[in-house]
Amino acid sequence: MAIYEYNSHNPHGGGFEGLRVVVSCCRSGIHQRYFNFRHRGKRVTPSREKAMRREAKAIDKEWRQQQAREQKGRRDEARPNRNADSPTSTGVGGIRMTFTVTRKHRAGRNVHYYAPAFVVHGSNDNRVFTRTIRVRRGEVMAGWAQAVRFYCEQKGIEGAGFRRLLRRRPPVARFEVVRQDMNKRLGHKIPKEKVPQ
């Protein structure tokens, strides 16, 4: 990625005089744009040449930022799940399975309500994000899609990357493993009927 200047010191094979902005992006290929310092056989005015240089720098900066976003998105897609052995792992780093626990005081006693959920957690540009998406009865795919959509929005993952993560939905039976783990390790009493079907 660079701005190349063609002139008498650095001649272009076709006789072109001006600037060439080139950036190679991962997904969208090579972007390039030419700024010609000659118009109808005459050299453009110094003020017009200065404006072209400013525009070339602005385009180069914009394309470099796009390239950085695409590379970061690819890194986030390929990032291995460090907690793959965890019972709450979905296989996608940043999204895990759990049961939300709501405690309420009813008729003089504490009552616990449990609901299956996906928790999306991570950071982007030194900004932490977390969202819990509850899974309604029989709507595991919808809950997964919502979790992946939020994760991709936060990480700047689009198109094929989004679809690839969407296909990596963990099996619904995995919620049973999460239920057993939370009951054993954390002392909850999550009933079996709370596991989505």
Side-chain angles (χ1 to χ4, degrees), residues 13 23 51 55-56 65 68 76-77 89-90 94 109 121 132 134-135 140 152 159 161 164 183 185 190:
V23 176
E55 188 178 354
Q65 289 171 345
D76 288 338
E77 284 174 35
S89 171
T90 61
R109 63 187 185 97
H121 180 78
T132 302
R134 287 186 169 189
V135 176
V140 176
C152 289
R164 199 170 17 260
N183 284 349
R185 192 170 45 84
I190 304 170

Side-chain angles (χ1 to χ4, degrees), residues 6-186:
Y6 297 103
N7 52 30
S8 58
H9 303 294
N10 181 25
H12 184 272
F16 171 77
E17 282 186 37
L19 301 174
R20 177 181 175 223
V21 183
V22 182
V23 176
S24 174
C25 291
C26 313
R27 295 185 179 141
S28 44
I30 294 177
H31 294 295
Q32 64 180 345
R33 181 155 174 207
Y34 287 87
F35 294 88
N36 196 346
F37 290 163
R38 299 190 74 70
H39 182 68
R40 295 186 180 171
K42 295 181 181 177
R43 184 128 180 130
V44 295
T45 62
S47 61
R48 178 69 185 128
E49 185 177 322
K50 194 173 183 180
M52 285 181 180
R53 288 181 190 280
R54 274 196 309 271
E55 188 178 354
K57 283 181 182 177
I59 288 173
D60 182 54
K61 181 179 178 184
E62 178 186 331
W63 287 349
R64 283 176 191 243
Q65 289 171 345
Q66 179 183 349
Q67 182 187 43
R69 282 192 305 271
E70 286 182 7
Q71 288 174 342
K72 186 175 184 322
R74 290 182 72 84
R75 279 194 311 272
D76 288 338
E77 284 174 35
R79 182 171 62 105
N81 185 0
R82 283 182 245 134
N83 299 321
D85 295 337
S86 169
T88 62
S89 171
T90 61
V92 175
I95 305 176
R96 63 183 180 87
M97 304 167 84
T98 191
F99 280 86
T100 59
V101 182
T102 307
R103 294 174 182 87
K104 297 214 175 173
H105 193 73
R106 298 273 192 246
R109 63 187 185 97
N110 289 328
V111 180
H112 294 80
Y113 297 96
Y114 301 98
F118 292 106
V119 176
V120 183
H121 180 78
S123 65
N124 197 15
D125 298 329
N126 297 324
R127 185 180 57 87
V128 175
F129 60 86
T130 302
R131 180 174 287 175
T132 302
I133 294 141
R134 287 186 169 189
V135 176
R136 291 190 175 98
R137 190 175 300 277
E139 295 186 11
V140 176
M141 188 60 195
W144 177 252
Q146 194 177 350
V148 170
R149 188 173 300 110
F150 177 73
Y151 179 76
C152 289
E153 284 171 3
Q154 298 303 311
K155 291 290 194 173
I157 300 171
E158 300 173 339
F162 169 75
R163 291 188 294 276
R164 199 170 17 260
L165 290 177
L166 198 57
R167 286 192 300 267
R168 290 175 60 184
R169 178 176 65 92
V172 178
R174 185 97 175 140
F175 273 110
E176 175 58 25
V177 175
V178 174
R179 182 189 77 83
Q180 290 175 6
D181 177 66
M182 287 181 72
N183 284 349
K184 181 180 177 184
R185 192 170 45 84
L186 302 174

